[in-house]
Structure formats: structure tokens, C-alpha cells
Amino acid sequence: MTTQQPRFTYEALPMRVVFGAGSLAQLPQEARGLGLRRLLVLSTHGQRSLAENAATLLGDACAGIFAEARMHVPADIAAKALQAARDTGADGCVAIGGGSTIGLGKAIALKSGLPVVSVPTTYAGSEMTPIWGLTEGGRKQTGRDRSVLPRSVLYDPELTLSLPVDVSVTSGFNAIAHAVEALYAPDASPVISLMAEEGVRSLAAALPAVAAAPRDLDARTEALHGAWLCGSCLGATTMSLHHKLCHILGGTFDLPHAPTHTVLLPYVAAFNLPAAPDAERALRRALATDDVPEQLARVAAELGAPRSLAELGLTEHDLAEVIAQAQSRPYANPRPAPADALRTLLTDALHGTLAH
């Protein structure tokens, strides 16, 4: 009997993770352990109170607060934050919040080399990746650089208890998308595939429980555990068609990041999984279903997520530009994505055919 022997390369990223309820209290200790004495605390305007809490914990080690993080990390905001870090004499940053704030911390690290401590409050997973993104002139540029990896990540489920259910659901599906693409990435490995399957399983179990009881700490802990695993998968593998399309839809059309991932994921899965049977089998196990795309669309809809790209503001007229950008610099994908196939996929997602 002859079997194909596996061949893969796995490279672990240098990450320190502190996980558990109440972990935010360890922020001063983590900063001292990294030799940081003046930290600029980053947040969105809406989460300034959380930034102030972090600043209080840091005491004299807080250099100031920059509460202007925005979705898709506009280049002008990143430049303003970098100048704030320089003006305050910061020797590091604390990024406390969701993907927008974590992304801003990465932009500062990319330009300055300043170390970042991340305290995620959603399930986006950006804190576990060396992937950075900047948006300028209607285009979102992304790249990989280990210099943007946070030096330490504090996962505190208590910080997610007040996360609105709608944000929790779409943020969770954003994380699931990371794992789905990791399963069919060209640089997948057995370690990452195991993490991806478990991450999807954890989030698929936790999100309905979170929706039913948003302040259930056990459910929140399980969801954050899944997000950590899914983010780790994204950090270790190559992005594919799903992420390419989401970057275009966010960077050019300013569609909201997590809802866009949520709406689009079932349609990209339906397109790619026939060419990725191992990934499909793993997702069937994780989701306890024989129809992965249908299950993803159904559960998202049942939990109140948007059902179509049209709901998010995309129009039929926009599809030509999305297709043109997707084909100009394509990401690795398990099967080719010609223009006609992309138009079918995007038209279905525009109208939410699977969700109905």
C-alpha cells in the first residue's frame, strides 16, 4: 500500500499570551517585563473609557492616550498616532480594543519599531498575526512584517462581556474566516489545521450561547479561546480569495470589516471547498454539518448578522471594480478565480442567496 507522505514547513511565531478573566490587571507587570517605562495607550473614541482604565493601571508608566483609531487604519490617522508617540516620548504602545486599534498599533510598530502590548476586546484575531494594513486613496495595502507582532497579548474575557451581540457575532465569524482560509492555505501544516478546526468548533459553540446570554463568562471565554486559535492560524498561513475580497470591499468601498467577512464567507467557502476536500472535511467536523456554506450562512442569519453585501452598502455597479482589483494582484487560492466566477460569487453575496 502506497500513501502520500505529508510535506510541510511550520514556523512558530514568537508570541507571549496571557489568557484568563482579570488578565488586564497584569498590564503593568507585562510592561515592566518588556522593559517599557512610557506607554502610549491606543483606542477608538468609543472605547476611551477602557483606555483610561488601562492608563490608570499603568500609572506613571502611561505617556498618554490616543483615542482616534478608526476602521481600516487610514494612513493619516496612523501618521497622527505615530507623531503622538514621538511627542510623548513613548517607548511602546498599549493597543486596547478591536481590530481597528490593534491595527493602529501595528502601523506605529511598522514605522517606528516601537513594541506593542495588545489587549483585544473583540474576536478579530489581528493581535496574533504579523499582517498589517493601511488605507490611503481608497486602496487598502497589506503586508507581513514580524516587527508588527505584539510582544505580549492579554486576553481578558471580562472585557468582552459588554461587547454588543451584533458585534460579537460578526467579529466571531471574522475569526472563523481566518481558520477556514488557513485550512486550504498553500502553507498549511498539521499543527495549524488542528488549531483551525478547534478554533472553528469553539466559536461555533460559543456564539449562540453569547447571543442568548451576552454576560455569560463561560461562553465569552470559549469564544475568546476560539478567536485566539483562529488568529494564530491567520498569522501562520497565507491569505486567500476571501481575505482579498474583504480587503477590497473595506479599503475601496469602506464596508464594515467584520460584517463583510460574515456575509462573504459562505460564498467563498462554496466556491473554494470543492477544490479543498481536506479543509471541507475538517469544517464538517467542526460545524457538525454536511453542508458547510449553508451552515455558515444559516447560523449567521439566525444570530442576526447581515445577510447580504447590499445591506452593507455595495451595489451591482461596484462589482466590476471589485473584480478588477481581485484579478490585478490575486492572493494564492485553491482554485483559479476568473472574472465570470467572481461575478457569480459576488452577485450571490450581494443578494444574500444562501441566507434566504
Side-chain angles (χ1 to χ4, degrees):
M1 177 178 175
T2 301
T3 59
Q4 185 176 359
Q5 297 300 313
R7 296 174 62 87
F8 62 89
T9 299
Y10 171 67
E11 186 174 359
L13 296 175
M15 299 291 292
R16 174 177 168 82
V17 171
V18 179
F19 190 102
S23 293
L24 179 61
Q26 297 187 44
L27 178 59
Q29 176 184 338
E30 289 299 303
R32 286 194 298 271
L34 294 169
L36 302 178
R37 297 293 180 264
R38 288 187 59 78
L39 293 109
L40 179 66
V41 181
L42 311 172
S43 75
T44 60
H45 177 73
Q47 290 191 306
R48 186 179 178 95
S49 61
L50 192 56
E52 291 172 347
N53 186 14
T56 299
L57 287 170
L58 289 170
D60 292 341
C62 178
I65 294 174
F66 184 89
E68 299 181 39
R70 283 178 51 198
M71 187 173 60
H72 304 307
V73 194
D76 60 329
I77 295 295
K80 189 176 179 181
L82 178 58
Q83 190 59 50
R86 290 170 173 161
D87 291 346
T88 58
D91 60 2
C93 296
V94 173
I96 185 164
S100 299
T101 304
I102 305 297
L104 180 60
K106 289 181 171 185
I108 294 173
L110 182 70
K111 299 295 184 181
S112 69
L114 288 179
V116 178
V117 177
S118 290
V119 187
T121 60
T122 69
Y123 308 130
S126 174
E127 67 281 349
M128 293 306 297
T129 82
I131 301 166
W132 56 267
L134 284 168
T135 300
E136 187 171 20
R139 296 292 178 101
K140 186 168 185 177
Q141 179 186 6
T142 63
R144 285 178 178 262
D145 193 312
R146 285 201 174 197
S147 69
V148 308
L149 278 172
R151 302 293 178 85
S152 182
V153 180
L154 305 182
Y155 282 109
D156 188 340
E158 291 181 351
L159 298 181
T160 67
L161 291 175
S162 60
L163 190 67
V165 168
D166 60 333
V167 178
S168 300
V169 170
T170 57
S171 182
F173 272 87
N174 181 11
I176 288 173
H178 303 333
V180 169
E181 293 231 295
L183 284 166
Y184 53 61
D187 46 1
S189 71
V191 172
I192 294 302
S193 294
L194 286 170
M195 293 174 70
E197 184 174 339
E198 180 59 24
V200 173
R201 183 181 292 110
S202 292
L203 279 161
L207 290 178
V210 166
R215 298 193 65 82
D216 182 339
L217 186 58
D218 289 340
R220 290 292 190 176
T221 299
E222 182 71 6
L224 201 58
H225 170 257
W228 164 53
L229 292 173
C230 292
S232 299
C233 294
L234 177 64
T237 55
T238 301
M239 294 181 290
S240 297
L241 178 62
H242 173 82
H243 283 81
K244 178 66 177 183
L245 293 174
C246 288
H247 290 161
I248 297 166
L249 293 168
T252 301
F253 300 97
D254 202 32
L255 266 60
H257 185 74
T260 300
H261 274 277
T262 304
V263 169
L264 197 59
L265 180 59
Y267 301 94
V268 179
F271 179 75
N272 274 340
L273 290 180
D278 289 343
E280 184 169 30
R281 282 190 289 271
L283 290 168
R284 285 179 174 179
R285 292 192 298 266
L287 296 170
T289 183
D290 290 329
D291 190 335
V292 172
E294 188 278 336
Q295 179 79 351
L296 290 169
R298 182 181 62 79
V299 172
E302 288 177 352
L303 296 181
R307 298 172 180 236
S308 70
L309 293 178
E311 286 183 55
L312 304 181
L314 200 72
T315 69
E316 192 91 32
H317 176 74
D318 298 326
L319 298 188
E321 176 63 21
V322 179
I323 294 167
Q325 288 192 40
Q327 294 201 297
S328 66
R329 297 181 64 185
Y331 291 178
N333 202 57
R335 61 182 292 191
D340 58 343
L342 286 175
R343 179 166 290 279
T344 298
L345 186 162
L346 288 165
T347 300
D348 287 345
L350 181 71
H351 300 297
T353 56
L354 284 173
H356 297 297

